[in-house]
mmCIF file with all atom_site columns, all heavy atoms in Angstrom:
data_model
loop_
_atom_site.group_PDB
_atom_site.id
_atom_site.type_symbol
_atom_site.label_atom_id
_atom_site.label_alt_id
_atom_site.label_comp_id
_atom_site.label_asym_id
_atom_site.label_entity_id
_atom_site.label_seq_id
_atom_site.pdbx_PDB_ins_code
_atom_site.Cartn_x
_atom_site.Cartn_y
_atom_site.Cartn_z
_atom_site.occupancy
_atom_site.B_iso_or_equiv
_atom_site.pdbx_formal_charge
_atom_site.auth_seq_id
_atom_site.auth_comp_id
_atom_site.auth_asym_id
_atom_site.auth_atom_id
_atom_site.pdbx_PDB_model_num
ATOM 1   N N   . THR T 1 231 ? 4.475   -2.424 1.222  1.00 92.00 ? 1180 THR T N   1
ATOM 2   C CA  . THR T 1 231 ? 5.861   -2.588 1.628  1.00 92.00 ? 1180 THR T CA  1
ATOM 3   C C   . THR T 1 231 ? 6.646   -1.419 1.060  1.00 92.00 ? 1180 THR T C   1
ATOM 4   O O   . THR T 1 231 ? 6.371   -0.948 -0.042 1.00 92.00 ? 1180 THR T O   1
ATOM 5   C CB  . THR T 1 231 ? 6.440   -3.913 1.105  1.00 92.00 ? 1180 THR T CB  1
ATOM 6   O OG1 . THR T 1 231 ? 6.303   -3.960 -0.311 1.00 92.00 ? 1180 THR T OG1 1
ATOM 7   C CG2 . THR T 1 231 ? 5.713   -5.097 1.716  1.00 92.00 ? 1180 THR T CG2 1
ATOM 8   N N   . ILE T 1 232 ? 7.593   -0.936 1.835  1.00 88.00 ? 1181 ILE T N   1
ATOM 9   C CA  . ILE T 1 232 ? 8.395   0.224  1.437  1.00 88.00 ? 1181 ILE T CA  1
ATOM 10  C C   . ILE T 1 232 ? 9.849   -0.164 1.630  1.00 88.00 ? 1181 ILE T C   1
ATOM 11  O O   . ILE T 1 232 ? 10.415  0.037  2.701  1.00 88.00 ? 1181 ILE T O   1
ATOM 12  C CB  . ILE T 1 232 ? 8.042   1.463  2.288  1.00 88.00 ? 1181 ILE T CB  1
ATOM 13  C CG1 . ILE T 1 232 ? 6.537   1.621  2.415  1.00 88.00 ? 1181 ILE T CG1 1
ATOM 14  C CG2 . ILE T 1 232 ? 8.673   2.725  1.707  1.00 88.00 ? 1181 ILE T CG2 1
ATOM 15  C CD1 . ILE T 1 232 ? 6.109   2.481  3.571  1.00 88.00 ? 1181 ILE T CD1 1
ATOM 16  N N   . GLY T 1 233 ? 10.444  -0.745 0.600  1.00 80.00 ? 1182 GLY T N   1
ATOM 17  C CA  . GLY T 1 233 ? 11.829  -1.187 0.722  1.00 80.00 ? 1182 GLY T CA  1
ATOM 18  C C   . GLY T 1 233 ? 11.954  -2.258 1.785  1.00 80.00 ? 1182 GLY T C   1
ATOM 19  O O   . GLY T 1 233 ? 11.449  -3.369 1.621  1.00 80.00 ? 1182 GLY T O   1
ATOM 20  N N   . ASP T 1 234 ? 12.594  -1.915 2.899  1.00 91.00 ? 1183 ASP T N   1
ATOM 21  C CA  . ASP T 1 234 ? 12.814  -2.884 3.967  1.00 91.00 ? 1183 ASP T CA  1
ATOM 22  C C   . ASP T 1 234 ? 11.798  -2.723 5.102  1.00 91.00 ? 1183 ASP T C   1
ATOM 23  O O   . ASP T 1 234 ? 12.049  -3.179 6.222  1.00 91.00 ? 1183 ASP T O   1
ATOM 24  C CB  . ASP T 1 234 ? 14.230  -2.731 4.520  1.00 91.00 ? 1183 ASP T CB  1
ATOM 25  C CG  . ASP T 1 234 ? 14.500  -1.325 5.046  1.00 91.00 ? 1183 ASP T CG  1
ATOM 26  O OD1 . ASP T 1 234 ? 13.742  -0.407 4.714  1.00 91.00 ? 1183 ASP T OD1 1
ATOM 27  O OD2 . ASP T 1 234 ? 15.484  -1.148 5.803  1.00 91.00 ? 1183 ASP T OD2 1
ATOM 28  N N   . ALA T 1 235 ? 10.659  -2.104 4.836  1.00 95.00 ? 1184 ALA T N   1
ATOM 29  C CA  . ALA T 1 235 ? 9.647   -1.868 5.868  1.00 95.00 ? 1184 ALA T CA  1
ATOM 30  C C   . ALA T 1 235 ? 8.264   -2.262 5.372  1.00 95.00 ? 1184 ALA T C   1
ATOM 31  O O   . ALA T 1 235 ? 8.006   -2.341 4.171  1.00 95.00 ? 1184 ALA T O   1
ATOM 32  C CB  . ALA T 1 235 ? 9.651   -0.398 6.290  1.00 95.00 ? 1184 ALA T CB  1
ATOM 33  N N   . VAL T 1 236 ? 7.375   -2.517 6.337  1.00 97.00 ? 1185 VAL T N   1
ATOM 34  C CA  . VAL T 1 236 ? 5.980   -2.856 6.050  1.00 97.00 ? 1185 VAL T CA  1
ATOM 35  C C   . VAL T 1 236 ? 5.083   -1.902 6.833  1.00 97.00 ? 1185 VAL T C   1
ATOM 36  O O   . VAL T 1 236 ? 5.308   -1.669 8.032  1.00 97.00 ? 1185 VAL T O   1
ATOM 37  C CB  . VAL T 1 236 ? 5.661   -4.312 6.452  1.00 97.00 ? 1185 VAL T CB  1
ATOM 38  C CG1 . VAL T 1 236 ? 4.165   -4.584 6.379  1.00 97.00 ? 1185 VAL T CG1 1
ATOM 39  C CG2 . VAL T 1 236 ? 6.396   -5.296 5.551  1.00 97.00 ? 1185 VAL T CG2 1
ATOM 40  N N   . LEU T 1 237 ? 4.096   -1.343 6.155  1.00 98.00 ? 1186 LEU T N   1
ATOM 41  C CA  . LEU T 1 237 ? 3.082   -0.509 6.799  1.00 98.00 ? 1186 LEU T CA  1
ATOM 42  C C   . LEU T 1 237 ? 1.813   -1.342 6.930  1.00 98.00 ? 1186 LEU T C   1
ATOM 43  O O   . LEU T 1 237 ? 1.341   -1.926 5.944  1.00 98.00 ? 1186 LEU T O   1
ATOM 44  C CB  . LEU T 1 237 ? 2.802   0.740  5.967  1.00 98.00 ? 1186 LEU T CB  1
ATOM 45  C CG  . LEU T 1 237 ? 1.567   1.581  6.328  1.00 98.00 ? 1186 LEU T CG  1
ATOM 46  C CD1 . LEU T 1 237 ? 1.687   2.137  7.743  1.00 98.00 ? 1186 LEU T CD1 1
ATOM 47  C CD2 . LEU T 1 237 ? 1.378   2.710  5.317  1.00 98.00 ? 1186 LEU T CD2 1
ATOM 48  N N   . PHE T 1 238 ? 1.263   -1.418 8.156  1.00 98.00 ? 1187 PHE T N   1
ATOM 49  C CA  . PHE T 1 238 ? 0.045   -2.200 8.364  1.00 98.00 ? 1187 PHE T CA  1
ATOM 50  C C   . PHE T 1 238 ? -0.989  -1.385 9.131  1.00 98.00 ? 1187 PHE T C   1
ATOM 51  O O   . PHE T 1 238 ? -0.661  -0.391 9.798  1.00 98.00 ? 1187 PHE T O   1
ATOM 52  C CB  . PHE T 1 238 ? 0.345   -3.511 9.108  1.00 98.00 ? 1187 PHE T CB  1
ATOM 53  C CG  . PHE T 1 238 ? 0.799   -3.348 10.539 1.00 98.00 ? 1187 PHE T CG  1
ATOM 54  C CD1 . PHE T 1 238 ? -0.114  -3.307 11.593 1.00 98.00 ? 1187 PHE T CD1 1
ATOM 55  C CD2 . PHE T 1 238 ? 2.146   -3.231 10.844 1.00 98.00 ? 1187 PHE T CD2 1
ATOM 56  C CE1 . PHE T 1 238 ? 0.300   -3.168 12.909 1.00 98.00 ? 1187 PHE T CE1 1
ATOM 57  C CE2 . PHE T 1 238 ? 2.586   -3.082 12.158 1.00 98.00 ? 1187 PHE T CE2 1
ATOM 58  C CZ  . PHE T 1 238 ? 1.654   -3.052 13.198 1.00 98.00 ? 1187 PHE T CZ  1
ATOM 59  N N   . VAL T 1 239 ? -2.240  -1.804 9.025  1.00 98.00 ? 1188 VAL T N   1
ATOM 60  C CA  . VAL T 1 239 ? -3.325  -1.193 9.784  1.00 98.00 ? 1188 VAL T CA  1
ATOM 61  C C   . VAL T 1 239 ? -4.179  -2.288 10.400 1.00 98.00 ? 1188 VAL T C   1
ATOM 62  O O   . VAL T 1 239 ? -4.166  -3.436 9.945  1.00 98.00 ? 1188 VAL T O   1
ATOM 63  C CB  . VAL T 1 239 ? -4.218  -0.278 8.911  1.00 98.00 ? 1188 VAL T CB  1
ATOM 64  C CG1 . VAL T 1 239 ? -3.442  0.903  8.373  1.00 98.00 ? 1188 VAL T CG1 1
ATOM 65  C CG2 . VAL T 1 239 ? -4.872  -1.066 7.780  1.00 98.00 ? 1188 VAL T CG2 1
ATOM 66  N N   . ALA T 1 240 ? -4.918  -1.913 11.434 1.00 97.00 ? 1189 ALA T N   1
ATOM 67  C CA  . ALA T 1 240 ? -5.887  -2.806 12.071 1.00 97.00 ? 1189 ALA T CA  1
ATOM 68  C C   . ALA T 1 240 ? -7.059  -1.972 12.535 1.00 97.00 ? 1189 ALA T C   1
ATOM 69  O O   . ALA T 1 240 ? -6.941  -0.759 12.737 1.00 97.00 ? 1189 ALA T O   1
ATOM 70  C CB  . ALA T 1 240 ? -5.251  -3.560 13.248 1.00 97.00 ? 1189 ALA T CB  1
ATOM 71  N N   . ASP T 1 241 ? -8.202  -2.633 12.720 1.00 95.00 ? 1190 ASP T N   1
ATOM 72  C CA  . ASP T 1 241 ? -9.429  -1.904 13.029 1.00 95.00 ? 1190 ASP T CA  1
ATOM 73  C C   . ASP T 1 241 ? -9.611  -1.604 14.509 1.00 95.00 ? 1190 ASP T C   1
ATOM 74  O O   . ASP T 1 241 ? -10.531 -0.871 14.882 1.00 95.00 ? 1190 ASP T O   1
ATOM 75  C CB  . ASP T 1 241 ? -10.641 -2.687 12.513 1.00 95.00 ? 1190 ASP T CB  1
ATOM 76  C CG  . ASP T 1 241 ? -10.661 -2.761 10.992 1.00 95.00 ? 1190 ASP T CG  1
ATOM 77  O OD1 . ASP T 1 241 ? -10.097 -1.863 10.351 1.00 95.00 ? 1190 ASP T OD1 1
ATOM 78  O OD2 . ASP T 1 241 ? -11.242 -3.724 10.454 1.00 95.00 ? 1190 ASP T OD2 1
ATOM 79  N N   . ASP T 1 242 ? -8.789  -2.190 15.381 1.00 96.00 ? 1191 ASP T N   1
ATOM 80  C CA  . ASP T 1 242 ? -8.875  -1.870 16.810 1.00 96.00 ? 1191 ASP T CA  1
ATOM 81  C C   . ASP T 1 242 ? -7.472  -1.912 17.398 1.00 96.00 ? 1191 ASP T C   1
ATOM 82  O O   . ASP T 1 242 ? -6.552  -2.499 16.826 1.00 96.00 ? 1191 ASP T O   1
ATOM 83  C CB  . ASP T 1 242 ? -9.809  -2.839 17.547 1.00 96.00 ? 1191 ASP T CB  1
ATOM 84  C CG  . ASP T 1 242 ? -9.348  -4.276 17.449 1.00 96.00 ? 1191 ASP T CG  1
ATOM 85  O OD1 . ASP T 1 242 ? -8.451  -4.667 18.216 1.00 96.00 ? 1191 ASP T OD1 1
ATOM 86  O OD2 . ASP T 1 242 ? -9.863  -5.011 16.580 1.00 96.00 ? 1191 ASP T OD2 1
ATOM 87  N N   . VAL T 1 243 ? -7.323  -1.304 18.554 1.00 97.00 ? 1192 VAL T N   1
ATOM 88  C CA  . VAL T 1 243 ? -5.993  -1.122 19.117 1.00 97.00 ? 1192 VAL T CA  1
ATOM 89  C C   . VAL T 1 243 ? -5.379  -2.441 19.567 1.00 97.00 ? 1192 VAL T C   1
ATOM 90  O O   . VAL T 1 243 ? -4.162  -2.655 19.451 1.00 97.00 ? 1192 VAL T O   1
ATOM 91  C CB  . VAL T 1 243 ? -6.043  -0.097 20.278 1.00 97.00 ? 1192 VAL T CB  1
ATOM 92  C CG1 . VAL T 1 243 ? -6.802  -0.660 21.471 1.00 97.00 ? 1192 VAL T CG1 1
ATOM 93  C CG2 . VAL T 1 243 ? -4.632  0.352  20.657 1.00 97.00 ? 1192 VAL T CG2 1
ATOM 94  N N   . THR T 1 244 ? -6.198  -3.383 20.053 1.00 97.00 ? 1193 THR T N   1
ATOM 95  C CA  . THR T 1 244 ? -5.663  -4.669 20.504 1.00 97.00 ? 1193 THR T CA  1
ATOM 96  C C   . THR T 1 244 ? -5.130  -5.486 19.338 1.00 97.00 ? 1193 THR T C   1
ATOM 97  O O   . THR T 1 244 ? -4.064  -6.108 19.439 1.00 97.00 ? 1193 THR T O   1
ATOM 98  C CB  . THR T 1 244 ? -6.750  -5.460 21.254 1.00 97.00 ? 1193 THR T CB  1
ATOM 99  O OG1 . THR T 1 244 ? -7.204  -4.687 22.371 1.00 97.00 ? 1193 THR T OG1 1
ATOM 100 C CG2 . THR T 1 244 ? -6.203  -6.787 21.756 1.00 97.00 ? 1193 THR T CG2 1
#
Side-chain angles (χ1 to χ4, degrees):
T1180 57
I1181 315 160
D1183 58 343
V1185 170
L1186 167 62
F1187 67 89
V1188 296
D1190 294 334
D1191 60 81
V1192 68
T1193 301

